[in-house]
Amino acid sequence: MQSLQDKASEWSGVAAADAFAIDGCNIFESLGGTPQPFVDLSTNFYTRVYEDEEEWFREIFAGSKKEDAIQNQYEFLIQRMGGPPLFSERRGHPALIGRHRAFPVTHRAAERWLHHMQQALDTTESIDADSKAKMMKFFRHTAYFLVAGLETTRQHSHGCRGTACKHGASKPAE
Ligand code: HEM
């Protein structure tokens, strides 16, 4: 069976080696070892998301306060890009598939998310071009990893419906 990583590579067009080039360097340190570039990026990103002219996409985020969404994201990014584990200290394990279960993370939503992230990166001056390129590949691959992961768990839940399957405990989000 095709793994989620394989599906993510196929759907995103980004090979795993390119997506995880972020692990071969420390972007947090190379950007000066401070939270600021990540705060800038997340603020830029979520300002675009919360003002998106496409209501269907804006609505996905309606249950979260913009300030909270910004903090969740920059703490995750700092941690993932080689900085201190701020996200895990405050929120626990990232478990991204589980944390997105309540949201309709479709191919279309992934493309819209990536569109805003590309624009946010393009207009964040505190991040250099090489780091931007690496981060975008990571984002693209991860967005499709989420699409693939959620599609798989939802299909699985459908298959279990009406049976005494152990997965029945976690209700599928549809
Ligand atoms: C593919 C399309 C995506 C959609 C539609 C989506 C949607 C959302 C929504 C609605 C939230 C809740 C906002 C909040 O309260 O923090 C969220 C949280 C989050 N997302 Fe995404 N997301 C997507 C992709 C990604 C990607 C690619 C990443 C990582 C590279 C990511 C990382 C996170 C993190 C770390 C949180 C905070 C979770 C928490 O603190 O509980 N998301 N996302």
Side-chain angles (χ1 to χ4, degrees):
M1 216 183 75
Q2 205 185 15
S3 73
L4 289 185
Q5 292 288 354
D6 291 344
K7 259 194 195 174
S9 294
E10 187 186 322
W11 291 353
S12 67
V14 178
D18 292 332
F20 299 112
I22 57 160
D23 294 325
C25 53
N26 187 318
I27 292 183
F28 178 76
E29 289 303 334
S30 73
L31 295 180
T34 76
Q36 201 56 48
F38 302 94
V39 175
D40 293 347
L41 178 64
S42 297
T43 305
N44 192 337
F45 171 78
Y46 271 118
T47 298
R48 290 167 194 279
V49 167
Y50 278 81
E51 287 172 7
D52 194 349
E53 62 199 21
E54 302 221 13
E55 194 185 350
W56 66 270
F57 187 75
R58 215 173 56 228
E59 280 295 306
I60 299 175
F61 295 83
S64 300
K65 276 187 14 211
K66 182 178 161 189
E67 296 68 35
D68 294 340
I70 290 172
Q71 186 181 4
N72 291 340
Q73 194 189 66
Y74 75 66
E75 289 189 350
F76 170 79
L77 291 180
I78 287 169
Q79 168 169 335
R80 194 60 192 82
M81 299 299 148
L86 302 180
F87 184 87
S88 292
E89 280 168 12
R90 194 171 60 86
R91 305 278 294 151
H93 191 281
L96 286 187
I97 293 179
R99 287 184 192 273
H100 286 81
R101 194 151 283 140
F103 312 121
V105 183
T106 59
H107 288 244
R108 187 168 171 238
E111 283 304 326
R112 194 74 192 152
W113 192 101
L114 290 164
H115 163 79
H116 289 305
M117 185 51 87
Q118 182 69 68
Q119 297 223 321
L121 275 170
D122 287 348
T123 53
T124 298
E125 289 172 7
S126 45
I127 304 180
D128 66 277
D130 182 57
S131 301
K132 283 178 182 176
K134 286 198 176 94
M135 286 169 76
M136 199 59 210
K137 287 189 176 131
F138 167 73
F139 289 138
R140 207 170 162 79
H141 190 274
T142 305
Y144 279 96
F145 177 78
L146 291 178
V147 176
L150 289 163
E151 207 163 84
T152 304
T153 53
R154 278 170 194 156
Q155 270 166 11
H156 186 65
S157 307
H158 284 289
C160 292
R161 189 172 287 160
T163 66
C165 166
K166 64 186 163 92
H167 299 290
S170 59
K171 198 170 166 284
E174 292 175 85

